[in-house]
Amino acid sequence: GDILPVDPAAFSTEDPATMPGAMVSLAGEGFGPEPGQLVVTVGNQQQAAEVHGWYDLGIYFKMPLFVVNGPTTAQLLVLRGDGAASNPVTVQLNP
């Protein structure tokens, strides 16, 4: 029989707070061997993160350079290479 891929699931970042431009590790599963995309949303702004490492169980990426004036909520969404999307993960973005 065919082995079906696990649905992508994002768990959490190594640190619950980060800064624009910082390197971040996101743990999860089912991200697949081929890089997809990690999208970061802050308010009504959305940017693709610069991925530096893509693994089935995690992603190492550079947080986009959003301008924030105080602690702000950011949402991370993993889009696997085949288009499957993970659940969103919330992280605090500090100036």
XYZ file of all heavy atoms in Angstrom:
691
model
N 0.800 -1.176 0.000
C 0.000 0.000 0.000
C 0.855 1.257 0.000
O 2.053 1.230 0.273
N 0.216 2.331 -0.325
C 0.882 3.626 -0.323
C 1.060 4.142 1.094
O 0.218 3.913 1.957
C 0.075 4.661 -1.108
C 0.045 4.360 -2.595
O 0.964 3.660 -3.072
O -0.896 4.816 -3.271
N 2.156 4.843 1.317
C 2.386 5.526 2.592
C 1.995 6.971 2.388
O 2.600 7.672 1.587
C 3.859 5.408 3.042
C 4.213 3.938 3.260
C 4.098 6.227 4.298
C 5.666 3.697 3.574
N 0.955 7.392 3.078
C 0.475 8.757 2.925
C 1.220 9.688 3.866
O 1.531 9.305 4.990
C -1.023 8.820 3.211
C -1.892 7.961 2.285
C -3.332 7.978 2.747
C -1.778 8.416 0.849
N 1.508 10.916 3.436
C 2.213 11.860 4.311
C 1.338 12.284 5.483
O 0.115 12.336 5.378
C 2.520 13.049 3.408
C 1.550 12.943 2.280
C 1.217 11.483 2.130
N 1.989 12.558 6.599
C 1.302 13.065 7.782
C 0.916 14.515 7.513
O 1.669 15.257 6.895
C 2.257 12.992 8.999
C 1.644 13.639 10.222
C 2.653 11.559 9.276
N -0.264 14.919 7.961
C -0.637 16.327 7.828
C 0.375 17.176 8.578
O 0.783 16.814 9.684
C -2.029 16.582 8.402
C -3.123 16.032 7.504
O -2.881 15.844 6.293
O -4.231 15.795 8.022
N 0.805 18.311 8.007
C 1.766 19.149 8.719
C 1.151 19.737 9.985
O 0.009 20.189 9.977
C 2.119 20.240 7.716
C 1.004 20.255 6.736
C 0.410 18.882 6.717
N 1.910 19.688 11.068
C 1.455 20.254 12.346
C 2.611 21.031 12.966
O 3.695 20.485 13.159
C 1.001 19.151 13.291
N 2.383 22.305 13.242
C 3.386 23.145 13.908
C 3.090 23.130 15.400
O 1.936 23.192 15.810
C 3.329 24.566 13.362
N 4.140 23.005 16.221
C 3.961 22.925 17.672
C 4.260 24.257 18.351
O 3.383 24.891 18.888
C 4.826 21.823 18.269
C 4.520 20.455 17.724
C 5.531 19.537 17.536
C 3.232 20.079 17.385
C 5.267 18.276 17.046
C 2.956 18.814 16.886
C 3.988 17.908 16.716
N 5.518 24.660 18.324
C 5.902 25.898 19.000
C 7.300 26.302 18.568
O 8.054 25.511 18.024
C 5.878 25.715 20.518
O 6.846 24.762 20.906
N 7.631 27.552 18.872
C 8.985 28.036 18.631
C 9.825 27.737 19.867
O 9.286 27.500 20.953
C 8.996 29.543 18.349
O 8.362 30.221 19.424
C 8.277 29.867 17.045
N 11.132 27.751 19.694
C 12.050 27.493 20.798
C 11.835 28.502 21.929
O 11.892 28.177 23.094
C 13.478 27.579 20.253
C 14.540 27.065 21.160
C 15.870 27.009 20.436
O 16.385 28.087 20.054
O 16.381 25.909 20.256
N 11.568 29.740 21.557
C 11.311 30.816 22.514
C 9.960 31.434 22.143
O 9.713 31.701 20.977
C 12.429 31.865 22.397
C 12.411 32.895 23.502
O 11.349 33.084 24.121
O 13.453 33.529 23.742
N 9.056 31.682 23.107
C 7.744 32.226 22.774
C 7.755 33.686 22.303
O 6.754 34.188 21.825
C 6.953 32.080 24.074
C 7.979 32.013 25.151
C 9.201 31.413 24.528
N 8.900 34.366 22.444
C 9.031 35.757 21.992
C 10.299 35.888 21.155
O 11.294 35.216 21.402
C 9.084 36.701 23.180
N 10.244 36.757 20.154
C 11.393 36.974 19.284
C 11.368 38.415 18.782
O 10.516 39.198 19.197
C 11.394 35.966 18.115
O 12.619 36.089 17.393
C 10.212 36.187 17.196
N 12.303 38.759 17.898
C 12.403 40.113 17.352
C 12.473 40.033 15.827
O 12.924 39.020 15.289
C 13.670 40.799 17.870
C 13.681 41.003 19.359
S 15.251 41.668 20.041
C 16.191 42.198 18.672
N 12.074 41.089 15.132
C 12.249 41.112 13.684
C 13.723 40.887 13.327
O 14.613 41.440 13.975
C 11.789 42.519 13.289
C 10.848 42.931 14.379
C 11.411 42.309 15.627
N 13.971 40.047 12.342
C 15.329 39.758 11.898
C 16.029 38.659 12.667
O 17.119 38.239 12.290
N 15.425 38.140 13.744
C 16.049 37.091 14.548
C 15.894 35.728 13.873
O 14.968 35.494 13.100
C 15.416 37.048 15.937
N 16.810 34.819 14.184
C 16.724 33.441 13.717
C 15.832 32.678 14.698
O 15.988 32.810 15.913
C 18.107 32.811 13.635
C 19.015 33.505 12.624
S 18.384 33.527 10.927
C 18.438 31.797 10.514
N 14.906 31.895 14.163
C 13.899 31.213 14.976
C 13.829 29.741 14.567
O 13.916 29.416 13.378
C 12.511 31.869 14.776
C 11.448 31.161 15.586
C 12.558 33.349 15.129
N 13.649 28.861 15.564
C 13.414 27.439 15.311
C 11.957 27.126 15.619
O 11.473 27.441 16.705
C 14.298 26.572 16.214
O 15.642 26.685 15.848
N 11.270 26.512 14.677
C 9.884 26.113 14.843
C 9.816 24.591 14.799
O 10.223 23.977 13.816
C 9.018 26.706 13.723
C 7.557 26.268 13.674
C 6.803 26.758 14.921
C 6.888 26.780 12.415
N 9.310 23.979 15.869
C 9.172 22.526 15.934
C 7.816 22.110 15.388
O 6.831 22.846 15.501
C 9.317 22.061 17.377
N 7.775 20.933 14.792
C 6.524 20.406 14.275
C 6.736 19.014 13.721
O 7.722 18.344 14.040
N 5.822 18.573 12.884
C 5.957 17.279 12.212
C 5.227 17.319 10.890
O 4.342 18.159 10.675
C 5.394 16.151 13.087
C 3.897 16.207 13.280
C 3.360 15.091 14.152
O 4.153 14.368 14.755
O 2.127 14.968 14.234
N 5.652 16.448 9.997
C 4.986 16.341 8.707
C 5.267 17.475 7.754
O 4.499 17.696 6.813
N 6.370 18.208 7.958
C 6.711 19.313 7.060
C 7.258 18.812 5.720
O 7.312 19.566 4.768
C 7.717 20.265 7.706
C 7.189 20.999 8.913
C 8.055 21.433 9.889
C 5.842 21.251 9.083
C 7.599 22.119 11.011
C 5.361 21.931 10.193
C 6.248 22.362 11.159
N 7.676 17.560 5.691
C 8.173 16.962 4.454
C 9.631 17.272 4.197
O 10.211 18.181 4.794
N 10.250 16.499 3.290
C 11.680 16.668 3.003
C 11.987 17.849 2.087
O 13.085 18.370 2.089
C 12.060 15.351 2.340
C 10.797 14.894 1.676
C 9.678 15.370 2.571
N 11.012 18.261 1.284
C 11.233 19.351 0.340
C 10.762 20.669 0.945
O 9.655 20.745 1.473
C 10.474 19.088 -0.956
C 10.932 17.849 -1.685
C 12.384 17.924 -2.115
O 12.811 18.999 -2.580
O 13.084 16.907 -1.982
N 11.583 21.719 0.855
C 11.173 23.013 1.409
C 9.894 23.539 0.767
O 9.692 23.419 -0.428
C 12.347 23.933 1.082
C 13.501 23.027 0.873
C 12.937 21.762 0.307
N 9.072 24.108 1.619
C 7.870 24.794 1.169
C 8.048 26.263 1.504
O 9.067 26.856 1.168
N 7.106 26.808 2.249
C 7.162 28.218 2.597
C 6.655 28.406 4.019
O 5.787 27.675 4.482
C 6.287 29.002 1.619
C 6.461 30.482 1.665
C 5.649 31.174 0.572
O 4.600 30.696 0.157
N 6.129 32.306 0.108
N 7.218 29.376 4.709
C 6.741 29.751 6.031
C 6.281 31.195 5.930
O 7.053 32.072 5.543
C 7.851 29.609 7.069
C 7.328 29.741 8.499
C 8.024 28.737 9.406
C 7.522 31.122 9.032
N 5.003 31.427 6.223
C 4.411 32.760 6.097
C 4.175 33.327 7.494
O 3.640 32.644 8.365
C 3.082 32.694 5.309
C 2.438 34.066 5.226
C 3.325 32.137 3.915
N 4.602 34.577 7.686
C 4.430 35.266 8.966
C 3.423 36.393 8.766
O 3.555 37.188 7.836
C 5.771 35.835 9.478
C 5.585 36.490 10.830
C 6.836 34.739 9.547
N 2.418 36.431 9.652
C 1.386 37.466 9.577
C 1.423 38.305 10.847
O 1.407 37.767 11.955
C -0.016 36.840 9.426
O -0.013 36.002 8.268
C -1.075 37.910 9.275
N 1.504 39.628 10.674
C 1.445 40.586 11.780
C 0.388 41.607 11.400
O 0.555 42.340 10.423
C 2.808 41.268 12.017
C 2.690 42.362 13.070
C 3.870 40.255 12.416
N -0.711 41.624 12.161
C -1.820 42.520 11.819
C -2.341 42.169 10.443
O -2.679 41.023 10.171
N -2.361 43.148 9.534
C -2.818 42.885 8.171
C -1.656 42.739 7.192
O -1.847 42.765 5.982
C -3.785 43.992 7.704
C -3.132 45.363 7.689
O -1.976 45.511 8.082
N -3.866 46.363 7.239
N -0.429 42.608 7.716
C 0.758 42.421 6.880
C 1.144 40.948 6.861
O 1.069 40.270 7.876
C 1.943 43.201 7.443
C 1.743 44.691 7.506
C 2.974 45.336 8.112
O 4.053 45.294 7.548
N 2.813 45.903 9.301
N 1.602 40.482 5.704
C 2.016 39.089 5.563
C 3.307 39.050 4.756
O 3.405 39.707 3.725
C 0.911 38.323 4.845
C 0.937 36.847 5.046
C -0.298 36.204 4.448
O -0.503 36.290 3.244
N -1.106 35.579 5.271
N 4.295 38.298 5.266
C 5.574 38.168 4.561
C 6.052 36.727 4.654
O 5.808 36.051 5.654
C 6.643 39.063 5.185
C 6.431 40.540 4.991
C 7.617 41.337 5.512
O 8.765 40.960 5.319
N 7.329 42.445 6.184
N 6.752 36.285 3.622
C 7.390 34.978 3.649
C 8.700 35.097 4.423
O 9.448 36.065 4.252
C 7.661 34.485 2.238
N 8.955 34.122 5.295
C 10.205 34.110 6.048
C 11.320 33.531 5.177
O 11.070 32.737 4.264
C 10.041 33.266 7.310
N 12.546 33.926 5.472
C 13.724 33.391 4.791
C 14.108 32.097 5.495
O 14.560 32.120 6.642
C 14.854 34.417 4.875
C 16.108 34.031 4.147
C 17.176 35.114 4.285
O 16.853 36.308 4.128
O 18.320 34.749 4.580
N 13.911 30.955 4.828
C 14.165 29.646 5.434
C 15.638 29.290 5.298
O 16.208 29.348 4.213
C 13.278 28.563 4.773
C 13.628 27.184 5.302
C 11.805 28.879 5.007
N 16.250 28.899 6.425
C 17.664 28.505 6.437
C 17.838 27.008 6.676
O 18.925 26.483 6.486
C 18.416 29.293 7.512
C 18.604 30.731 7.146
N 19.774 31.232 6.630
C 17.746 31.779 7.188
C 19.641 32.526 6.387
N 18.412 32.882 6.712
N 16.792 26.323 7.116
C 16.834 24.876 7.318
C 15.427 24.328 7.323
O 14.565 24.836 8.038
N 15.176 23.322 6.501
C 13.831 22.724 6.407
C 13.977 21.242 6.664
O 14.706 20.550 5.963
C 13.257 22.957 5.018
C 11.827 22.519 4.888
C 11.370 21.238 4.753
C 10.674 23.358 4.894
N 10.009 21.232 4.677
C 9.553 22.529 4.756
C 10.486 24.731 4.995
C 8.258 23.028 4.721
C 9.200 25.217 4.962
C 8.102 24.379 4.822
N 13.298 20.756 7.673
C 13.350 19.356 8.059
C 11.921 18.880 8.301
O 11.026 19.695 8.554
C 14.180 19.175 9.342
C 15.468 19.956 9.288
C 15.552 21.220 9.873
C 16.574 19.468 8.620
C 16.721 21.962 9.802
C 17.750 20.203 8.530
C 17.816 21.456 9.129
O 18.959 22.193 9.051
N 11.681 17.586 8.260
C 10.340 17.060 8.486
C 9.801 17.441 9.864
O 8.606 17.620 10.040
C 10.337 15.534 8.328
C 8.925 14.976 8.304
O 8.092 15.500 7.536
O 8.635 14.038 9.058
N 10.706 17.603 10.848
C 10.291 17.883 12.231
C 10.571 19.309 12.683
O 10.468 19.616 13.873
C 10.967 16.899 13.196
C 10.635 15.429 12.958
C 11.439 14.543 13.879
C 9.150 15.178 13.116
N 10.938 20.204 11.770
C 11.195 21.577 12.184
C 11.713 22.445 11.060
O 12.134 21.950 10.013
N 11.667 23.741 11.307
C 12.136 24.726 10.332
C 12.962 25.767 11.078
O 12.587 26.208 12.160
C 10.948 25.418 9.629
C 10.088 24.379 8.913
C 11.437 26.475 8.652
C 8.773 24.921 8.423
N 14.100 26.144 10.495
C 14.951 27.192 11.035
C 14.861 28.355 10.051
O 15.135 28.189 8.858
C 16.386 26.674 11.160
C 17.327 27.593 11.876
C 17.102 27.964 13.197
C 18.460 28.084 11.247
C 17.973 28.807 13.864
C 19.337 28.916 11.907
C 19.091 29.277 13.211
O 19.962 30.111 13.885
N 14.418 29.512 10.526
C 14.152 30.616 9.608
C 14.495 31.963 10.242
O 14.651 32.083 11.450
C 12.680 30.616 9.176
C 11.705 30.936 10.280
C 11.223 32.222 10.448
C 11.283 29.958 11.161
C 10.329 32.524 11.464
C 10.387 30.239 12.188
C 9.911 31.528 12.341
N 14.597 32.976 9.368
C 14.829 34.349 9.800
C 13.487 35.077 9.806
O 12.776 35.101 8.795
C 15.794 35.045 8.851
C 16.151 36.453 9.271
C 17.185 37.038 8.325
C 17.571 38.434 8.740
N 18.569 39.004 7.832
N 13.132 35.652 10.961
C 11.884 36.401 11.086
C 11.942 37.619 10.167
O 12.938 38.346 10.151
C 11.706 36.849 12.536
C 10.408 37.559 12.814
S 8.918 36.588 12.568
C 8.976 35.486 13.962
N 10.902 37.848 9.364
C 10.885 39.035 8.493
C 11.000 40.327 9.310
O 10.685 40.364 10.497
C 9.512 38.946 7.815
C 9.144 37.506 7.875
C 9.717 37.013 9.172
N 11.410 41.390 8.639
C 11.657 42.675 9.294
C 10.384 43.525 9.378
O 10.255 44.547 8.706
C 12.767 43.432 8.563
C 14.130 42.746 8.588
C 15.125 43.479 7.695
C 14.650 42.670 10.018
N 9.463 43.095 10.199
C 8.263 43.887 10.457
C 8.629 45.052 11.372
O 9.478 44.911 12.246
C 7.197 43.042 11.177
C 6.548 42.019 10.299
C 6.938 40.699 10.364
C 5.539 42.377 9.418
C 6.326 39.734 9.571
C 4.927 41.428 8.617
C 5.324 40.106 8.694
N 7.978 46.203 11.185
C 8.157 47.344 12.078
C 7.102 47.220 13.171
O 5.906 47.248 12.883
C 8.017 48.676 11.326
C 8.090 49.847 12.288
C 9.081 48.786 10.252
N 7.555 47.066 14.420
C 6.622 46.974 15.552
C 7.032 48.000 16.601
O 8.212 48.229 16.826
C 6.582 45.552 16.151
C 5.965 44.566 15.174
C 7.951 45.076 16.586
N 6.054 48.636 17.233
C 6.329 49.669 18.235
C 6.264 49.146 19.661
O 6.629 49.845 20.594
C 5.336 50.825 18.069
C 5.499 51.506 16.728
O 6.609 51.671 16.249
N 4.394 51.871 16.103
N 5.779 47.966 19.840
C 5.656 47.342 21.157
C 5.402 45.867 20.943
O 5.368 45.392 19.802
N 5.240 45.108 22.019
C 4.961 43.679 21.866
C 3.743 43.462 20.967
O 2.694 44.067 21.163
C 4.683 43.212 23.296
C 5.402 44.206 24.155
C 5.307 45.515 23.421
N 3.927 42.641 19.953
C 2.909 42.409 18.937
C 2.795 40.911 18.678
O 3.795 40.206 18.677
C 3.307 43.121 17.621
O 3.535 44.510 17.904
C 2.249 42.992 16.562
N 1.590 40.453 18.421
C 1.375 39.043 18.109
C 1.648 38.784 16.636
O 1.192 39.527 15.769
C -0.074 38.638 18.441
O -0.298 38.856 19.833
C -0.334 37.187 18.113
N 2.397 37.715 16.379
C 2.657 37.272 15.012
C 2.178 35.829 14.881
O 2.262 35.054 15.841
C 4.143 37.355 14.689
N 1.667 35.474 13.702
C 1.240 34.106 13.448
C 2.134 33.494 12.389
O 2.440 34.134 11.374
C -0.207 34.072 12.980
C -1.181 34.472 14.048
C -2.369 33.526 14.101
O -2.802 32.998 13.099
N -2.887 33.335 15.287
N 2.552 32.247 12.645
C 3.403 31.507 11.728
C 2.569 30.415 11.080
O 1.848 29.692 11.774
C 4.572 30.871 12.476
C 5.354 31.767 13.436
C 6.416 30.953 14.169
C 5.978 32.924 12.692
N 2.675 30.275 9.769
C 1.939 29.250 9.047
C 2.896 28.560 8.084
O 3.542 29.217 7.268
C 0.771 29.863 8.271
C -0.119 28.883 7.523
C -0.906 28.006 8.500
C -1.066 29.620 6.598
N 2.984 27.245 8.197
C 3.857 26.453 7.332
C 3.042 25.945 6.145
O 1.963 25.372 6.322
C 4.452 25.257 8.102
C 5.306 24.395 7.176
C 5.271 25.745 9.292
N 3.559 26.178 4.955
C 2.968 25.648 3.729
C 3.955 24.639 3.156
O 5.029 25.015 2.679
C 2.701 26.772 2.728
C 1.756 27.866 3.217
C 1.703 29.011 2.225
C 0.374 27.301 3.458
N 3.586 23.368 3.244
C 4.461 22.300 2.761
C 4.610 22.396 1.252
O 3.798 23.039 0.578
C 3.846 20.961 3.172
C 4.790 19.798 3.067
C 4.273 18.583 3.774
N 2.983 18.155 3.243
C 2.231 17.247 3.837
N 2.600 16.696 4.968
N 1.081 16.899 3.301
N 5.627 21.776 0.698
C 5.897 21.821 -0.737
C 4.715 21.402 -1.598
O 4.545 21.894 -2.703
N 3.856 20.486 -1.097
C 2.701 20.031 -1.870
C 1.465 20.904 -1.646
O 0.383 20.602 -2.124
C 2.375 18.573 -1.561
C 1.926 18.336 -0.118
O 1.825 19.315 0.663
O 1.696 17.167 0.240
N 1.630 22.008 -0.877
C 0.538 22.939 -0.657
C -0.249 22.721 0.621
O -1.084 23.542 0.977
N -0.011 21.615 1.336
C -0.719 21.375 2.597
C -0.269 22.400 3.625
O 0.915 22.724 3.731
C -0.443 19.964 3.103
N -1.223 22.934 4.405
C -0.923 23.974 5.397
C -1.013 23.419 6.802
O -1.859 22.574 7.110
C -1.904 25.128 5.247
N -0.145 23.926 7.676
C -0.168 23.554 9.089
C -1.179 24.422 9.831
O -1.765 25.347 9.273
C 1.212 23.757 9.717
O 1.456 25.147 9.910
N -1.328 24.131 11.092
C -2.070 25.008 11.990
C -1.218 26.252 12.242
O 0.010 26.177 12.180
C -2.351 24.287 13.310
C -1.064 23.782 13.935
O -0.372 22.941 13.357
N -0.721 24.294 15.089
N -1.824 27.398 12.536
C -1.019 28.589 12.846
C -0.440 28.491 14.260
O -1.052 27.916 15.153
C -2.023 29.732 12.745
C -3.355 29.110 12.900
C -3.246 27.680 12.461
N 0.751 29.044 14.433
C 1.408 29.123 15.740
C 1.609 30.598 16.059
O 2.064 31.358 15.205
C 2.765 28.378 15.749
C 3.546 28.668 16.996
C 2.545 26.886 15.582
N 1.281 30.984 17.274
C 1.415 32.379 17.695
C 2.731 32.582 18.429
O 3.126 31.759 19.236
C 0.234 32.767 18.605
O -0.973 32.591 17.876
C 0.336 34.219 19.054
N 3.397 33.690 18.116
C 4.640 34.068 18.799
C 4.560 35.578 19.053
O 3.912 36.302 18.316
C 5.873 33.685 17.941
C 5.915 34.446 16.647
C 7.158 33.870 18.709
N 5.222 36.032 20.118
C 5.247 37.474 20.409
C 6.441 38.086 19.700
O 7.557 37.579 19.786
C 5.349 37.702 21.902
C 5.344 39.192 22.263
C 5.318 39.412 23.763
O 4.461 38.886 24.441
N 6.272 40.175 24.256
N 6.199 39.187 19.023
C 7.242 39.915 18.311
C 7.516 41.205 19.065
O 6.618 42.018 19.258
C 6.754 40.199 16.890
C 7.766 40.501 15.814
C 8.804 39.389 15.699
C 7.055 40.679 14.489
N 8.744 41.366 19.542
C 9.142 42.551 20.299
C 10.027 43.452 19.451
O 10.776 42.966 18.629
C 9.895 42.141 21.564
C 9.016 41.380 22.521
O 7.858 41.692 22.700
N 9.573 40.361 23.157
N 9.976 44.781 19.685
C 10.826 45.700 18.921
C 12.299 45.533 19.264
O 12.647 44.990 20.260
C 10.332 47.081 19.305
C 9.384 46.917 20.434
C 9.098 45.455 20.586
